[in-house]
Amino acid sequence: AAPAQQHVCPAAPPERGRLAPWVPVVGLEIHAQISSNSKLFSGSQVQFAAPPNSLVSFFDASLPGTLPVLNRRCVEAAVMTGLALNCSINKKSLFDRKHYFYADLPAGYQITQQRVPIAVNGSLSYSLCIDNKMSQMVTKTVRIKQIQLEQDSGKSLHDDTRSQTLVDLNRAGVGLMEVVMEPDMCCGEEAAAAVRELQLILQTLGSSQAVMAEGQLRVDANVSVHHPGEPYGVRTEVKNINSMRFLAKAIDYEIQRQIEELENGGTILNETRAFDSKLGCTVPMRDKEGQQDYRFMPEPNLPPLILYDAKSLPANMNHQQVINIDWIHERLPDLPSVKRKKLVEQYGILPEHSFTLLNEDGLAEFFESVVKQTQMKPKKVIGWILKDLLSYLKQHSLTVKESPVSSFLLADLLNLLEKKEISSTAAKQVLAELWKGEGKTPLEIVKEQKLELLQDQKELEQICQAVMAIKAGNPKVLNKLIGLVQKKTQGRSNPVLVKQLLEKKLSG
Amino acid sequence: MRALLLGPWLRAARGLPRAPGSGHRHRGHGGHRPQGPLRKVSVEVLDHLEHLALVDFRDAEGVERLQKAIQFADQLHEVNTNGVEPMDSVLEDRCLYLREDDVTEGNCTKELLENAREKVEEYFVAPPGNIPLPKLEERETFLQGSQ
């Protein structure tokens, strides 16, 4: 394989030849909702879209006299995620209160881990395609500063017409893992690729379902620009990015905005901006005027969180009260990067193929299922999966699970092709028919549309001879050809039309 | 959000609590009164505090009480804490209890909404957005007069 080129974000060229090139710097803070039955510090259910304020306990509503009780599953999810991201797990971590006023934060503070979080100093590797083609991929790494456990806030619905805010506390207190990435990225594309890989990892671990559309994965970007060799510029925080599509857009817009501002002699304010998806730009967030002072203090109701490993495991403690990091480590599933490697090694497909397979939910399993049921080589099967099947799915906006063509049917079809009973073109026709989902088997369709390859040697010889004769200048053989076509179509073809077609084809 | 009025509450308190351990030190004052000079707190800091905690110092006496409280707390600096690990709580050696991930609470919408002054179809009602406290010049606070 050719050595991978370094993907270098093109440093923005100077405007009007005035200033030196700009180096953009992007850091991310990602909040992933923990996949658990109940909340981080209370026993209320975690569920998307439930009647307002129905999944709220007295603690979540911040009524006096209530206390936080830590959910074991949330701790395990954070440990799994930390291990998958190559972090050091802090065997002793602490909880703190972060104070600010907002209608959807009934306590007036959020319980988080500011001083000593549960995991630190990890890394995430992700890949990018160069030049928009899937032919060359580069691997990059972003450092993970830390992962901390914290509470989610409730939801505010702004009713501007009646000048009021409606508050639903169903989400208040749901467990979050905040993953803080160091500013090692330089553009929207890198950020999007890193977030996508993190999403796949979280989904593989099961620690978060990480569906952006349901608010289970939220990304805030810290963006700044500076000249090479100079200190980092003032950064802005971009919030309200709620889809992967807008992530790259929002970041790239902000980079451009800052460059233009600075080149025009302006300054960048250390502010929070929201991404407006309709306008495609970032705007200052009015609610966050002035510097926030969160007045961090230790959470007095929670002693330190102690985690153990095989060596430090206490002898006489209740099993249920002990979290063993090594036990969790041993049970981690194969991460996406490992799965891709295995697919490439086992089936001889290209690395970029393995990316596409894992990128589509269920596609890798579909591919493997087809390979098991057919004699066709995996290297050939992958073409049918990625070019034909996937394009059909995309065209009709279907997931792999919703595919009208099952792995069994596709394998059946590919077997016909492999046994040379039909041609490649015919196979594509059959697939189009199978796509209608009318319940016919590939063989039935082949028979129906008479797509069987002409295997009769004698017949083929006759046709070839006739073609050669015509090429040699003998037009009378044309009639013989018409006769053969009639025979093949069992008298159903229009002789005049056939003559025209043959003449056209033979003159070319 | 309504401002929490500390003024009357501070006035009601009968003097400041006794300084703990003050009996050990002999400074000639008897150790009962806060020591050191009364430190003035700037208007900017007071405004910032009113903003952050949504309190209203109400009048000069309220501000003086704050300054006396700070002075009292400053006694902590007299203790040499070099090389001493800070302690958050005397319960720091206790075990943090871990709960099983079961759904055991919730489904009490009606009860919770009984506390709400205003509600709309099972939602709590709050003022629009976060009402930022108006700037010092625009507020009716006694701080305006001082400089």
Side-chain angles (χ1 to χ4, degrees):
Chain A
Q5 286 165 261
Q6 265 307 301
H7 166 81
V8 176
C9 276
E15 293 278 314
R16 293 160 267 183
R18 268 201 293 153
L19 300 149
W22 293 101
V23 178
V25 178
V26 180
L28 299 177
E29 280 163 25
I30 299 161
H31 292 88
Q33 236 181 43
I34 297 174
S35 175
S36 61
N37 299 325
S38 56
K39 295 184 180 178
L40 183 58
F41 292 117
S42 73
S44 341
Q45 192 181 3
V46 175
Q47 196 189 14
F48 185 69
N53 293 304
S54 61
L55 309 176
V56 185
S57 69
F58 289 0
F59 171 76
D60 304 326
S62 189
L63 299 187
T66 55
L67 292 170
V69 186
L70 184 56
N71 180 340
R72 189 201 158 86
R73 157 70 189 163
C74 293
V75 181
E76 289 171 344
V79 172
M80 272 200 287
T81 307
L83 291 170
L85 295 176
N86 307 307
C87 295
S88 310
I89 307 293
N90 283 327
K91 293 224 194 70
K92 178 176 173 185
S93 61
L94 307 171
F95 290 101
D96 304 293
R97 289 186 183 179
K98 178 179 180 180
H99 299 81
Y100 62 94
F101 288 113
Y102 210 76
D104 59 25
L105 195 71
Y109 61 84
Q110 174 200 34
I111 301 180
T112 176
Q113 293 187 301
Q114 191 253 353
R115 288 168 297 159
V116 186
I118 193 167
V120 290
N121 296 337
S123 66
L124 169 68
S125 291
Y126 60 98
S127 291
L128 283 178
C129 324
I130 320 181
D131 296 340
N132 279 332
K133 288 179 242 158
M134 281 295 269
S135 50
Q136 263 188 308
M137 308 204 80
V138 219
T139 304
K140 303 216 85 185
T141 308
V142 57
R143 290 168 297 159
I144 306 286
K145 178 163 187 247
Q146 66 189 54
I147 301 176
Q148 69 215 41
L149 280 167
E150 56 184 37
Q151 292 174 302
D152 207 344
S153 65
K155 262 210 200 132
S156 299
L157 293 128
H158 298 288
D159 184 358
D160 292 321
T161 49
R162 285 182 204 78
S163 201
Q164 63 189 12
T165 299
L166 302 180
V167 178
D168 173 15
L169 298 177
N170 282 349
R171 202 184 65 183
V174 172
L176 293 176
M177 292 177 287
E178 177 171 339
V179 179
V180 183
M181 291 183 180
E182 300 279 17
D184 296 340
M185 292 162 285
C186 67
C187 61
E189 196 190 352
E190 286 193 357
V195 172
R196 178 68 185 127
E197 187 66 11
L198 176 66
Q199 189 181 41
L200 285 173
I201 291 175
L202 292 172
Q203 289 168 345
T204 304
L205 292 172
S207 56
S208 170
Q209 286 162 353
V211 175
M212 273 182 106
E214 289 187 10
Q216 292 166 341
L217 191 71
R218 295 166 341 229
V219 182
D220 298 332
N222 292 308
V223 180
S224 75
V225 296
H226 66 278
H227 291 304
E230 286 183 13
Y232 281 14
V234 175
R235 64 174 161 88
T236 61
E237 189 185 5
V238 183
K239 292 178 100 84
N240 196 39
I241 304 167
N242 32 32
S243 80
M244 209 64 88
R245 256 198 319 139
F246 294 139
L247 177 59
K249 253 187 169 179
I251 291 172
D252 289 334
Y253 172 87
E254 181 60 17
I255 291 171
Q256 268 312 113
R257 184 194 75 85
Q258 289 194 11
I259 290 175
E260 276 169 25
E261 183 70 34
L262 290 170
E263 296 212 321
N264 288 332
T267 52
I268 305 297
L269 296 170
N270 175 214
E271 58 177 352
T272 306
R273 299 175 73 89
F275 180 63
D276 186 322
S277 48
K278 288 197 203 106
L279 300 172
C281 64
T282 61
V283 294
M285 278 178 87
R286 280 163 295 128
D287 279 353
K288 304 242 173 174
E289 281 164 3
Q291 280 287 49
Q292 280 280 25
D293 180 347
Y294 293 115
R295 290 163 292 147
F296 286 100
M297 66 173 258
E299 170 54 61
N301 295 321
L302 294 169
L305 172 61
I306 309 291
L307 303 172
Y308 301 94
D309 56 22
K311 273 189 267 177
S312 64
L313 214 51
N316 298 319
M317 238 172 106
N318 177 6
H319 239 243
Q320 194 270 340
Q321 288 299 311
V322 172
I323 292 184
N324 182 346
I325 301 168
D326 290 336
W327 190 90
I328 295 175
H329 208 309
E330 284 159 25
R331 282 155 187 77
L332 285 179
D334 274 348
L335 293 181
S337 52
V338 173
K339 278 197 205 166
R340 284 182 205 118
K341 223 172 158 199
K342 284 188 175 175
L343 284 170
V344 169
E345 281 168 6
Q346 199 178 344
Y347 300 110
I349 57 177
L350 295 173
E352 44 265 32
H353 293 161
S354 69
F355 269 91
T356 317
L357 281 180
L358 252 63
N359 233 9
E360 245 9 87
D361 194 26
L363 192 60
E365 290 77 15
F366 192 98
F367 166 70
E368 289 188 287
S369 174
V370 172
V371 165
K372 277 203 192 80
Q373 300 174 78
T374 177
Q375 296 101 5
M376 185 183 277
K377 288 218 168 72
K379 275 192 192 172
K380 276 179 87 180
V381 175
I382 194 76
W384 285 92
I385 299 280
L386 295 182
K387 277 184 240 148
D388 300 89
L389 182 78
L390 192 58
S391 59
Y392 269 122
L393 288 172
K394 290 293 175 199
Q395 260 173 42
H396 297 90
S397 296
L398 293 172
T399 63
V400 173
K401 289 192 183 72
E402 297 165 336
S403 170
V405 179
S406 65
S407 60
F408 173 75
L409 284 176
L410 184 59
D412 210 11
L413 172 62
L414 295 181
N415 280 337
L416 288 176
L417 180 58
E418 194 65 7
K419 283 188 269 179
K420 300 209 190 352
E421 286 183 34
I422 53 173
S423 69
S424 178
T425 333
K428 288 200 204 284
Q429 252 180 275
V430 176
L431 185 58
E433 191 64 34
L434 280 173
W435 196 258
K436 294 183 192 162
E438 286 164 6
K440 294 182 220 164
T441 68
L443 200 57
E444 284 168 0
I445 297 171
V446 166
K447 288 216 156 64
E448 243 178 59
Q449 296 189 11
K450 296 189 198 323
L451 294 168
E452 308 97 324
L453 278 177
L454 276 179
Q455 305 281 35
D456 191 324
Q457 184 106 342
K458 243 186 162 175
E459 225 177 308
L460 283 171
E461 262 183 34
Q462 278 187 319
I463 294 175
C464 287
Q465 259 191 322
V467 173
M468 279 162 62
I470 288 176
K471 281 283 180 196
N474 188 348
K476 280 192 215 156
V477 186
L478 189 62
N479 293 330
K480 203 168 185 187
L481 270 178
I482 296 172
L484 280 167
V485 174
Q486 284 284 65
K487 194 173 163 196
K488 198 81 201 106
T489 56
Q490 291 176 317
R492 282 178 293 162
S493 52
N494 178 346
V496 177
L497 186 60
V498 171
K499 187 171 182 203
Q500 281 175 349
L501 285 169
L502 283 170
E503 276 171 337
K504 200 169 160 199
K505 283 203 181 288
L506 292 168
S507 65
Chain B
M1 242 161 164
R2 284 209 291 192
L4 181 67
L5 305 177
L6 273 186
W9 183 82
L10 281 174
R11 274 193 290 277
R14 299 198 181 286
L16 294 161
R18 291 174 177 264
S22 54
H24 292 289
R25 308 199 61 123
H26 297 287
R27 281 233 179 146
H29 301 276
H32 292 299
R33 296 228 178 271
Q35 289 135 28
L38 192 75
R39 287 214 282 155
K40 284 277 173 194
V41 186
S42 71
V43 180
E44 288 77 34
V45 172
L46 287 170
D47 181 43
H48 187 53
L49 286 172
E50 286 198 337
H51 207 109
L52 279 181
L54 292 182
V55 301
D56 180 355
F57 288 106
R58 189 40 54 106
D59 58 20
E61 194 187 334
V63 175
E64 209 187 298
R65 292 225 171 246
L66 172 69
Q67 292 175 152
K68 285 199 175 129
I70 295 172
Q71 188 189 25
F72 174 68
D74 276 344
Q75 291 180 99
L76 290 171
H77 291 307
E78 292 173 21
V79 182
N80 186 345
T81 54
N82 285 336
V84 179
E85 192 65 29
M87 173 189 266
D88 302 338
S89 149
V90 292
L91 301 172
E92 65 180 17
D93 288 336
R94 293 283 176 94
C95 222
L96 175 54
Y97 179 76
L98 294 171
R99 182 175 58 83
E100 277 302 309
D101 187 25
D102 299 318
V103 176
T104 56
E105 297 176 286
N107 265 314
C108 47
T109 319
K110 207 154 161 236
E111 255 179 300
L112 290 173
L113 287 173
E114 272 171 19
N115 281 330
R117 186 176 63 173
E118 261 188 83
K119 46 184 167 252
V120 169
E121 283 177 36
E122 300 187 324
Y123 286 94
F124 293 100
V125 178
N130 220 17
I131 304 179
L133 205 61
K135 290 199 176 59
L136 184 56
E137 307 84 65
E138 295 155 26
R139 266 185 297 144
E140 275 175 27
T141 168
F142 102 102
L143 286 179
Q144 265 192 354
S146 50
Q147 211 28 261

